[in-house]
Amino acid sequence: METKRIGLAIHGGAGTIERSKMTPEKEREYRAGLERALTAGCEILKRGGSSLDATEAAVRVLEDDPHFNAGKGSVFTSTGTNEMDASIMDGKTLKAGAVASVKHVKNPIGLARLVMEKSPHVMLDCAGAEAFAKENGIELVDEKYFFTQERWDALQKIKEAEKHGGVGGKKFFISEHDRHGTVGAVALDKSGNLAAATSTGGMANKLPGRIGDTPVIGAGTYANNQTCAVSCTGDGEFFIRAGAAHEVSTLMEYRGIKLQAAAQMALDGVKKLGGSGGLIAIDKNGAVALPFNTNGMYRGYVDPNGRFVIEIYR
Ligand code: ASP
């Protein structure tokens, strides 16, 4: 079935993003990255490509951009390694693929897609995921590829703060100031199919082996043609406990609530548990919602006239 409406929304993470701490140059770079991601996804949708291809393409662009906490530019664990998580879901078939704690995969979202399409499983982690990547010709890189000075300095800052009792009362995790950067995309294609994709380096100073909401289907990522597609960002533990992404869909399906309100209610559920962050969602008619409860979220979407809207602050 051909629908005319296409839709795309992306995020580059939510957190304490202060205008006063942002230089005009840095802001331009973030905006340019978001614009490149929207362009990559939008071009695919405009020529009739699938929402799966569009979300994967948009997320790849952000994984390759060192400003965002996914792929190159991922945050460091407490032992100074990079461990990345990613997932993708097809709203038409409800098929999904995810990878967790991968260390050498240049584009974790591509591997998540491959897990969905070429394995009988939904989630692979660590060495098994990387062996599967190798077998299937996915690009693997040296760990050094993911290094950025900014993320390294952020880890040192937390380590220093830990010596004095933790950051913002949280012993292990980074303060909201340095955390943002997870990336995600949701899309509706011309055939009426929805898809969602999310990729992250996780939370800085996380314990090695920690897995957040990003690769957990129903928590950080969910898509269902009957309702919506969702990609989340924020304190992963709380998004997992709230089943946040799936919650948006069930509120729509079982209670007949519209996208915007359902997205806000799901996020309020995360907040009630003590978690902060945001999410992006798109419904089967192409309406988008981009709520967040932090003071900023890197985000963008294509409006009904085909124009790009890119925002950072509240
Ligand atoms: N949700 C991600 C995680 O917990 C982090 C983030 O989105 O900032 O791994």
Side-chain angles (χ1 to χ4, degrees):
M1 191 188 59
E2 281 272 300
T3 56
K4 264 177 252 102
R5 184 86 197 262
I6 56 166
L8 177 68
I10 58 168
H11 71 76
T16 303
I17 304 166
E18 283 169 27
R19 213 185 277 267
S20 60
K21 293 214 171 96
M22 185 82 87
T23 63
E25 192 194 343
K26 230 177 163 194
E27 182 167 337
R28 262 199 305 278
E29 287 167 8
Y30 275 108
R31 285 180 177 275
L34 293 168
E35 191 175 336
R36 277 195 300 276
L38 281 175
T39 304
C42 211
E43 262 161 21
I44 290 169
L45 294 171
K46 274 205 241 157
R47 57 166 193 263
S50 72
S51 51
L52 272 176
D53 284 346
T55 53
E56 183 187 342
V59 165
R60 271 176 184 273
V61 168
L62 297 170
E63 284 179 337
D64 292 342
D65 187 327
H67 291 90
F68 299 95
N69 173 21
K72 184 163 180 68
S74 285
V75 297
F76 289 93
T77 66
S78 60
T79 55
T81 56
N82 299 113
E83 298 184 0
M84 293 156 283
D85 304 333
S87 70
I88 190 162
M89 185 161 184
D90 178 0
K92 182 183 177 191
T93 58
L94 302 187
K95 283 188 177 166
V99 293
S101 299
V102 292
K103 290 181 174 173
H104 303 92
V105 179
K106 182 165 182 268
N107 290 104
I109 197 62
L111 183 57
R113 175 98 183 251
L114 206 72
V115 169
M116 174 173 84
E117 291 178 343
K118 298 248 161 74
S119 88
H121 307 303
V122 169
M123 196 193 291
L124 292 179
D125 81 351
C126 308
E130 297 200 346
F132 181 72
K134 208 167 168 190
E135 263 165 44
N136 286 282
I138 288 264
E139 188 173 359
L140 298 175
V141 291
D142 189 272
E143 291 180 21
K144 285 195 208 85
Y145 166 80
F146 301 102
F147 180 92
T148 56
Q149 193 63 46
E150 200 184 341
R151 299 296 190 192
W152 184 254
D153 293 346
L155 177 66
Q156 305 319 309
K157 211 166 87 186
I158 310 168
K159 293 275 182 210
E160 197 48 44
E162 263 187 351
K163 285 188 203 150
H164 306 103
V167 182
K170 295 181 192 169
K171 185 157 167 36
F172 288 110
F173 294 144
I174 192 165
S175 70
E176 269 204 12
H177 279 279
D178 301 299
R179 194 200 58 199
H180 48 76
T182 289
V183 308
V186 293
L188 168 70
D189 64 28
K190 281 188 180 165
S191 308
N193 292 321
L194 294 169
T198 316
S199 181
T200 189
M203 299 181 89
N205 203 34
K206 66 183 179 182
L207 293 174
R210 178 264 187 186
I211 297 169
D213 60 314
T214 302
V216 179
I217 299 302
T221 303
Y222 191 72
N224 181 340
N225 274 6
Q226 302 311 313
T227 53
C228 61
V230 183
S231 170
C232 302
T233 177
D235 302 319
E237 281 69 12
F238 298 93
F239 282 79
I240 293 174
R241 288 164 56 203
H246 187 251
E247 181 83 347
V248 182
S249 175
T250 51
L251 286 167
M252 293 176 73
E253 188 170 2
Y254 301 141
R255 290 183 57 192
I257 295 172
K258 288 211 164 64
L259 182 82
Q260 190 78 42
Q264 188 61 55
M265 283 169 78
L267 192 60
D268 290 347
V270 172
K271 193 173 181 184
K272 218 185 265 172
L273 296 176
S276 70
L279 61 85
I280 55 169
I282 187 166
D283 72 10
K284 56 185 176 181
N285 303 312
V288 296
L290 304 89
F292 53 98
N293 59 29
T294 50
N295 72 0
M297 178 166 80
Y298 298 104
R299 61 201 187 277
Y301 61 95
V302 184
D303 79 7
N305 301 315
R307 274 191 294 264
F308 290 179
V309 180
I310 292 172
E311 291 169 328
I312 298 177
Y313 313 104
R314 184 161 285 289

